[in-house]
Amino acid sequence: MVSTLTRPGRKLATRLLLLQLCVVLATAILMVTTINVDWGISALIGGGIFVIANAAFALCAFLFSGARAAKLIVASFFGGEVLKILLTVVLFSVVYLYAEVELVPLKLAYLLVLGINILAPVLFINNNK
């Protein structure tokens, strides 16, 4: 029964991650076809950073469920948020130090997926009537 409490949230998180991944791939393909391969790879990396960090947060956020685990739920939620921020910083640092990327598509794809992260849950929730 406890896992049934988190099923709708997990389903929403999975749909959101799949939507973000599809948008990242579409953006990268669009950049490859319209500009060049370097822009496509940079867009893929930038959007991928957000999707990876968001997936790590989603895994942490849904580790526990039920009223008896309230403290664990809060701790895993905040721990997941800290992990998401740290992963984002580390992945951007690694990309800036070791990869030769175009900064405009890298940041543009990251911001695009961030915007989807803000707007998509509203569309998903209103769509379930």
Side-chain angles (χ1 to χ4, degrees):
M1 168 155 169
V2 174
S3 65
T4 60
L5 296 173
T6 60
R7 190 171 296 137
R10 286 181 182 171
K11 185 177 177 185
L12 181 63
T14 303
R15 288 175 61 192
L16 181 60
L17 286 169
L18 288 174
L19 176 65
Q20 291 170 348
L21 187 62
C22 289
V23 168
V24 168
L25 292 174
T27 303
I29 291 170
L30 183 69
M31 297 261 182
V32 166
T33 57
T34 57
I35 300 171
N36 62 25
V37 175
D38 292 336
W39 275 57
I41 292 171
S42 298
L44 186 65
I45 292 170
I49 288 172
F50 188 87
V51 172
I52 290 169
N54 210 22
F57 168 74
L59 286 173
C60 289
F62 293 108
L63 280 178
F64 304 102
S65 62
R68 293 183 182 169
K71 290 181 182 178
L72 292 173
I73 293 169
V74 172
S76 68
F77 185 85
F78 286 116
E81 190 62 33
V82 168
L83 178 64
K84 179 180 176 178
I85 293 168
L86 288 175
L87 264 174
T88 302
V89 169
V90 167
L91 290 174
F92 268 118
S93 298
V94 168
V95 168
Y96 288 150
L97 290 174
Y98 299 112
E100 295 201 15
V101 294
E102 298 287 334
L103 293 180
V104 172
L106 179 85
K107 293 179 181 180
L108 192 66
Y110 182 86
L111 291 174
L112 177 67
V113 181
L114 177 65
I116 288 172
N117 195 48
I118 293 168
L119 297 176
V122 173
L123 298 174
F124 289 156
I125 291 170
N126 288 339
N127 202 15
N128 288 334
K129 290 183 180 178

